[in-house]
Coordinates of all heavy atoms in Angstrom, one line a residue:
L800 N -10.5 -15.3 26.6 CA -10.7 -14.6 25.3 C -11.6 -13.4 25.4 O -11.4 -12.4 24.7 CB -11.4 -15.7 24.3 CG -11.6 -15.2 22.9 CD1 -10.3 -14.8 22.2 CD2 -12.3 -16.3 22.1
F801 N -12.7 -13.4 26.3 CA -13.5 -12.3 26.4 C -12.8 -11.1 26.9 O -12.9 -10.0 26.3 CB -14.7 -12.6 27.3 CG -15.8 -13.3 26.6 CD1 -16.3 -14.6 27.1 CD2 -16.5 -12.8 25.5 CE1 -17.3 -15.2 26.5 CE2 -17.6 -13.4 24.9 CZ -18.0 -14.7 25.4
T802 N -12.0 -11.3 27.9 CA -11.2 -10.1 28.4 C -10.2 -9.6 27.4 O -10.0 -8.4 27.2 CB -10.4 -10.6 29.7 OG1 -11.3 -11.2 30.6 CG2 -9.8 -9.4 30.4
Y803 N -9.6 -10.6 26.6 CA -8.7 -10.2 25.6 C -9.4 -9.3 24.5 O -8.9 -8.3 24.0 CB -8.0 -11.4 24.9 CG -7.3 -11.1 23.6 CD1 -6.0 -10.6 23.6 CD2 -8.0 -11.3 22.4 CE1 -5.4 -10.3 22.4 CE2 -7.4 -11.0 21.2 CZ -6.1 -10.5 21.2 OH -5.5 -10.2 20.0
N804 N -10.6 -9.8 24.1 CA -11.3 -9.1 23.0 C -11.8 -7.7 23.5 O -11.9 -6.8 22.6 CB -12.5 -10.0 22.5 CG -12.1 -10.7 21.3 OD1 -11.2 -10.3 20.5 ND2 -12.8 -11.8 21.0
K805 N -12.1 -7.6 24.7 CA -12.5 -6.2 25.2 C -11.3 -5.3 25.1 O -11.4 -4.2 24.7 CB -13.0 -6.3 26.7 CG -14.3 -6.9 26.9 CD -14.7 -7.0 28.3 CE -16.1 -7.6 28.5 NZ -16.5 -7.7 29.9
A806 N -10.1 -5.8 25.4 CA -8.9 -5.0 25.3 C -8.6 -4.8 23.8 O -8.2 -3.7 23.5 CB -7.7 -5.7 26.0
R807 N -8.8 -5.8 23.0 CA -8.6 -5.6 21.6 C -9.5 -4.6 21.0 O -9.1 -3.7 20.2 CB -8.8 -7.0 20.9 CG -8.7 -7.0 19.4 CD -9.2 -8.4 18.8 NE -9.3 -8.4 17.4 CZ -10.2 -9.2 16.7 NH1 -10.9 -10.0 17.4 NH2 -10.3 -9.1 15.4
L808 N -10.8 -4.6 21.3 CA -11.7 -3.6 20.8 C -11.5 -2.2 21.3 O -11.8 -1.2 20.7 CB -13.2 -4.1 21.1 CG -13.6 -5.4 20.4 CD1 -15.0 -5.8 20.9 CD2 -13.7 -5.2 18.9
A809 N -10.9 -2.1 22.5 CA -10.5 -0.8 23.1 C -9.2 -0.3 22.6 O -8.8 0.8 23.0 CB -10.5 -1.0 24.6
G810 N -8.5 -1.1 21.8 CA -7.2 -0.6 21.3 C -6.1 -0.8 22.2 O -5.0 -0.3 21.9
E811 N -6.3 -1.6 23.3 CA -5.2 -1.8 24.2 C -4.2 -2.9 23.7 O -3.1 -2.9 24.2 CB -5.8 -2.2 25.6 CG -6.6 -1.2 26.2 CD -7.3 -1.7 27.5 OE1 -6.9 -2.8 28.0 OE2 -8.3 -1.0 28.0
V812 N -4.7 -3.8 22.9 CA -3.8 -4.8 22.4 C -4.2 -5.1 20.9 O -5.4 -4.9 20.6 CB -4.0 -6.1 23.2 CG1 -5.4 -6.7 23.2 CG2 -3.0 -7.2 22.8
S813 N -3.3 -5.5 20.1 CA -3.6 -5.7 18.7 C -3.0 -7.1 18.3 O -1.9 -7.4 18.7 CB -3.1 -4.6 17.8 OG -3.7 -3.4 18.1
P814 N -3.6 -7.8 17.4 CA -3.0 -9.0 16.8 C -1.7 -8.6 16.1 O -1.7 -7.4 15.5 CB -4.0 -9.6 15.9 CG -5.3 -8.9 16.3 CD -5.0 -7.6 16.8
P815 N -0.8 -9.4 16.0 CA 0.4 -9.1 15.2 C 0.1 -8.9 13.7 O -0.8 -9.5 13.2 CB 1.3 -10.3 15.4 CG 0.4 -11.4 15.8 CD -0.7 -10.8 16.5
T816 N 0.9 -8.0 13.1 CA 0.8 -7.8 11.7 C 1.4 -9.0 10.9 O 2.5 -9.5 11.3 CB 1.5 -6.5 11.2 OG1 0.8 -5.4 11.9 CG2 1.3 -6.3 9.7
I817 N 0.7 -9.5 10.0 CA 1.2 -10.7 9.2 C 2.0 -10.1 8.0 O 1.4 -9.5 7.1 CB 0.1 -11.6 8.7 CG1 -0.7 -12.1 9.9 CG2 0.6 -12.8 7.9 CD1 0.0 -12.9 10.9
D818 N 3.3 -10.3 8.0 CA 4.1 -9.7 7.0 C 5.0 -10.9 6.3 O 6.0 -10.6 5.8 CB 5.0 -8.6 7.5 CG 5.9 -9.1 8.7 OD1 5.8 -10.3 9.0 OD2 6.5 -8.2 9.3
T819 N 4.5 -12.1 6.4 CA 5.2 -13.2 5.8 C 5.3 -13.0 4.3 O 4.3 -12.7 3.6 CB 4.4 -14.5 6.0 OG1 4.4 -14.8 7.4 CG2 5.1 -15.7 5.4
P820 N 6.5 -13.0 3.7 CA 6.7 -12.8 2.3 C 6.1 -13.9 1.5 O 5.8 -15.0 2.0 CB 8.2 -12.7 2.1 CG 8.7 -13.5 3.3 CD 7.8 -13.3 4.4
A821 N 5.9 -13.7 0.2 CA 5.3 -14.7 -0.7 C 6.1 -16.0 -0.6 O 7.4 -16.0 -0.6 CB 5.3 -14.2 -2.1
R822 N 5.4 -17.1 -0.5 CA 6.0 -18.4 -0.4 C 5.1 -19.5 -0.9 O 3.8 -19.2 -0.9 CB 6.4 -18.7 1.0 CG 5.2 -18.8 2.0 CD 5.6 -18.9 3.4 NE 6.0 -20.3 3.7 CZ 5.2 -21.3 4.1 NH1 3.9 -21.1 4.2 NH2 5.7 -22.5 4.4
P823 N 5.5 -20.6 -1.4 CA 4.6 -21.7 -1.8 C 3.8 -22.1 -0.5 O 4.4 -22.3 0.5 CB 5.5 -22.8 -2.3 CG 6.8 -22.1 -2.6 CD 6.9 -21.0 -1.6
M824 N 2.5 -22.2 -0.7 CA 1.7 -22.6 0.5 C 0.9 -23.8 0.3 O 0.5 -24.2 -0.8 CB 0.7 -21.4 0.8 CG 1.4 -20.1 1.3 SD 0.2 -18.9 1.8 CE -0.4 -18.3 0.2
T825 N 0.6 -24.5 1.4 CA -0.3 -25.7 1.4 C -1.7 -25.2 1.2 O -2.1 -24.0 1.1 CB -0.2 -26.4 2.7 OG1 -0.8 -25.6 3.8 CG2 1.2 -26.7 3.1
L826 N -2.6 -26.2 1.0 CA -4.0 -25.9 0.7 C -4.6 -25.0 1.9 O -5.3 -24.0 1.6 CB -4.8 -27.2 0.6 CG -6.2 -27.2 0.1 CD1 -6.4 -26.3 -1.1 CD2 -6.6 -28.6 -0.2

């Protein structure tokens, strides 16, 4: 996780964009 976060903060990797359309959701 630390190595990943360094890459994340440096812009080398990004979390996926959440584009799930509206749907009924659990709590």
